[in-house]
Amino acid sequence: ATVETLSEAGIRAEADLRENYSPGWKYSNWEMKGVPLRIEIGPRDLANNQVRVVRRDNGEKTDISRVFLVEQVKGMLDKIQQNLFDVAKQKRDACIEVVKTWDEFVKALGQKKLILAPWCDEEDVEKDVKARTKGEMGAAKSLCTPFEQPELPEGT
């Protein structure tokens, strides 16, 4: 009934009624598949007309009344999506190094950072940078021009 309720609301849901696997094995199996939200329903949950919901991104467990199941699940899925995005953005931003000199560029490249550096948009310069950085540290390549860029001192 829970799967049917969620499916009617446009949320993909699937019941895992396999009896030949332990609950822990099933939890792990679905987590490896990337399922963001696990709903557990036991005898006490049925007696209390509730379900236990477990978030994959932080492991938080919450008991939800079945009356508010669809609204709460939709809200949790939105929160999970936002949290995953925020964490990924923080990790990406932590890897970006803003450089203004060639020495800073080479140092950041050696640390395997994403480098935000001034560039004149000339293909020959890009080829020169690739040639000069080729070697043990790997050749640098341009990825994209960001919409928001730091201020450049004149003559850079």
Side-chain angles (χ1 to χ4, degrees):
T2 302
V3 170
E4 198 172 294
T5 301
L6 292 171
S7 295
E8 286 172 0
I11 300 169
R12 284 191 298 167
E14 188 172 325
D16 191 343
L17 304 175
R18 298 176 288 180
E19 293 181 10
N20 56 334
Y21 294 107
S22 70
W25 189 94
K26 290 193 260 186
Y27 299 163
S28 175
N29 180 49
W30 288 104
E31 190 170 311
M32 289 189 318
K33 290 181 179 189
V35 173
L37 202 59
R38 179 177 78 234
I39 299 176
E40 302 170 4
I41 304 172
R44 282 190 218 134
D45 296 316
L46 289 174
N48 295 331
N49 198 31
Q50 69 181 24
V51 298
R52 170 159 286 179
V53 180
V54 183
R55 289 177 52 161
R56 178 173 158 243
D57 63 329
N58 63 11
E60 182 181 305
K61 296 179 181 183
T62 309
D63 291 328
I64 298 175
S65 170
R66 292 183 56 149
V67 176
F68 305 110
L69 180 68
V70 172
E71 297 83 14
Q72 297 255 346
V73 166
K74 283 183 177 181
M76 287 181 131
L77 289 172
D78 290 339
K79 286 179 186 174
I80 290 169
Q81 175 68 27
Q82 189 62 51
N83 184 47
L84 291 172
F85 176 79
D86 292 342
V87 168
K89 190 172 186 210
Q90 286 174 352
K91 286 180 181 178
R92 185 212 57 195
D93 291 347
C95 291
I96 294 176
E97 188 82 28
V98 179
V99 302
K100 293 187 174 64
T101 66
W102 180 252
D103 291 336
E104 291 174 347
F105 184 92
V106 172
K107 182 181 173 191
L109 188 62
Q111 294 171 349
K112 298 186 179 190
K113 299 275 188 173
L114 285 170
I115 301 168
L116 184 58
W119 182 45
C120 60
D121 282 335
E122 293 181 14
E123 194 174 329
D124 292 337
V125 174
E126 181 180 8
K127 287 179 183 177
D128 181 52
V129 169
K130 275 186 182 179
R132 290 172 65 184
T133 58
K134 194 171 188 175
E136 290 179 23
M137 66 180 108
K141 67 177 181 177
S142 61
L143 297 175
C144 58
T145 303
F147 292 122
E148 297 175 20
Q149 298 187 28
E151 290 293 320
L152 285 177
E154 198 167 314
T156 302

